[in-house]
Amino acid sequence: MRLKVCYHDNCFDGLASAASFTRFFLQKIEPKAEVEFEGLAYRGGNPFYEGLLAGDVNAILDFRYTANPKLDWYFDHHVSAFQEPGDEEHFRADRSGQKFWNPEAKSNTKFMTEILRERFGYDPGPTEELIHWADIIDGAQFPSAKVAVELEEPALRLMTMIEAERDSSFLHRIIWWMQEEPLSRIVERPEVAEKIEALLEIHRENVAVIRERAVLEDGVVYFDISDQARDNANKFISYYLFPECRYSINVSASKSRTKISLGSNPWATTPRTHDLAAIASRYGGGGHPVVAAISLDPGEEEKARAIAREIVETLRSS
C-alpha cells in the first residue's frame, strides 16, 4: 500500500502534522505502507496539480481542501481551507469519517492528534513534546516576543531551519525523525546543527536589517527585504523591535518564490480588527485571521510590493 501525505510546506505545524499522521497510519492502519511526502505552498492558482494524489491512500494535512475523490484523509485548521466554489459543501457532505476541520484550533497537529487518539485509538507516544510545541508555535502562544526571537529552545531552532530549508528530501528526513526522537536530539544531529548555526547568523542579520528598514506608522510595521535573497524571516522580529505595533507586513524573495507575509502582534495592547487570512485570500494566499501569507512566482517583487502597499494602506486606514 502506498500512502501519500501532503502537508503545509516549510511550516513546523505542517511537518509535525505529517509526522503525527504517518505514525498513526503505520501504527493503526498499515504498518508496511510505503510513505511519500509532498509539501504544498499557498500560491496563486490551484495548488492541486493533476496526479498530486497518487497514493493508494491520500492525506492532506494543514492545508486547503480539495473535492478530488482521491482524497481519503483531511485535517486542517485554517479559516481559508475552502477556496473553490463548492469545496465547503463537498467537505460537509462527506461521510467517510476521515475528514476534519476546526478553524478554532491553535495548531493542526494538536487538533488532529486529539481526534486520532479519541476516535481511532492512536497512541502518540514520544511525539507528545512535538504536539506541545506545534501548538505553541502555530498558535503564537509564546510568553513574549523575546522568547520567539532569541530562539533558545530546540523547537524554535528547528522551526527556524524548517521555515528556511528548500531541500524537500531533507525536510522529509526530519518528518521521520520527528516520529520518534526528542526535538533536542534532532537539532543536535550534525547535519541539522550545521544548518541551524548558519541560519542563526542569518537571523541576527535579519534583525539588524529589519531594524534599519522597518517603518512603523498608524500601528502597522512595513519592511521590504526582497533584495536579501531570503523568502522568510522570523515573523516575530517586528513585535520584538516595535512592541507597540498591531500589524506587520513585509515582502521577501528567494530563487523559489516571492512572498508577502501578514502578521498581527500577539502582545498588542490594541486588539486586532482585521482578518488577515481574508485579506490574503483576495490575492490567492491564505492562513489564519492572525497570520497569513501570499506566495508569488520568483521575480515578481514589483507585484508583491504593490500588493503589500494595498494591504498596508487597508490596515493603516482602520
Side-chain angles (χ1 to χ4, degrees):
M1 177 187 291
R2 294 168 54 242
L3 169 65
K4 178 73 175 285
V5 178
C6 301
Y7 63 92
H8 187 188
D9 206 6
N10 296 112
C11 170
F12 188 97
D13 189 34
L15 270 73
S17 294
S20 296
F21 182 82
T22 301
R23 191 175 188 278
F24 152 74
F25 196 89
L26 296 176
Q27 179 189 115
K28 304 300 293 186
I29 307 297
E30 177 48 72
K32 296 181 180 180
E34 297 178 8
V35 185
E36 178 185 353
F37 300 112
E38 183 160 351
L40 303 176
Y42 286 99
R43 300 180 184 275
N46 184 2
F48 304 113
Y49 64 85
E50 185 175 355
L52 172 67
L53 302 181
D56 299 312
V57 178
N58 300 286
I60 293 178
L61 313 172
D62 197 35
F63 199 73
R64 292 177 184 167
Y65 184 77
T66 175
N68 190 319
K70 293 184 178 180
L71 177 62
D72 300 292
W73 291 85
Y74 181 77
F75 292 90
D76 188 46
H77 69 133
H78 294 85
V79 296
S80 56
F82 307 110
Q83 293 284 307
E84 299 299 321
D87 276 357
E88 184 168 359
E89 291 79 3
H90 186 275
F91 166 80
R92 295 193 182 281
D94 183 78
R95 295 295 177 264
S96 69
Q98 297 179 174
K99 298 176 184 178
F100 304 89
W101 174 63
N102 180 5
E104 302 299 320
K106 297 294 185 182
S107 72
N108 189 68
T109 304
K110 185 176 181 180
F111 159 61
M112 178 186 71
T113 305
E114 287 176 347
I115 291 174
L116 295 178
R117 190 190 331 239
E118 294 168 6
R119 302 194 186 189
F120 300 94
Y122 170 55
D123 176 12
T127 64
E128 294 285 7
E129 179 198 25
L130 178 69
I131 297 163
H132 169 76
W133 275 106
D135 212 49
I136 290 176
I137 290 170
D138 221 54
Q141 300 180 90
F142 304 101
S144 67
K146 182 175 184 291
V147 171
V149 173
E150 296 190 356
L151 304 176
E152 296 296 331
E153 292 285 348
L156 303 185
R157 294 186 170 218
L158 186 59
M159 170 198 75
T160 301
M161 199 227 75
I162 287 169
E163 292 179 353
E165 182 60 45
R166 293 296 170 260
D167 181 350
S168 59
S169 63
F170 194 82
L171 292 176
H172 299 165
R173 291 167 66 190
I174 291 173
I175 292 172
W176 285 112
W177 296 333
M178 281 177 163
Q179 296 176 46
E180 300 295 339
E181 297 186 19
L183 300 179
S184 59
R185 186 180 301 168
I186 295 175
V187 299
E188 288 171 357
R189 283 177 169 269
E191 59 268 55
V192 177
E194 181 180 5
K195 289 176 179 285
I196 288 175
E197 281 308 310
L199 288 168
L200 289 178
E201 180 58 34
I202 293 172
H203 172 64
R204 288 186 281 269
E205 293 172 3
N206 282 342
V207 173
V209 170
I210 293 169
R211 188 192 304 273
E212 177 184 329
R213 298 186 182 184
V215 176
L216 171 64
E217 182 180 332
D218 294 329
V220 182
V221 170
Y222 172 72
F223 60 90
D224 180 348
I225 56 170
S226 58
D227 64 326
Q228 300 296 299
R230 303 165 189 165
D231 72 354
N232 72 293
N234 182 298
K235 63 178 68 72
F236 302 102
I237 293 174
S238 295
Y239 319 130
Y240 180 71
L241 298 176
F242 303 94
E244 67 275 30
C245 77
R246 294 175 68 202
Y247 300 104
S248 176
I249 308 298
N250 73 77
V251 175
S252 57
S254 71
K255 293 180 180 179
S256 61
R257 64 177 174 179
T258 308
K259 183 179 179 184
I260 306 105
S261 299
L262 298 72
S264 57
N265 186 350
W267 306 279
T269 55
T270 304
R272 174 185 58 84
T273 54
H274 288 79
D275 182 334
L276 300 184
I279 292 175
S281 68
R282 301 172 194 168
Y283 305 95
H288 306 283
V290 297
V291 61
I294 304 156
S295 293
L296 305 178
D297 289 334
E300 293 195 296
E301 288 87 350
E302 283 304 318
K303 180 179 179 181
R305 293 184 190 110
I307 291 172
R309 285 193 293 268
E310 289 180 8
I311 295 171
V312 168
E313 182 59 33
T314 296
L315 297 175
R316 284 178 176 168
S317 63
S318 61

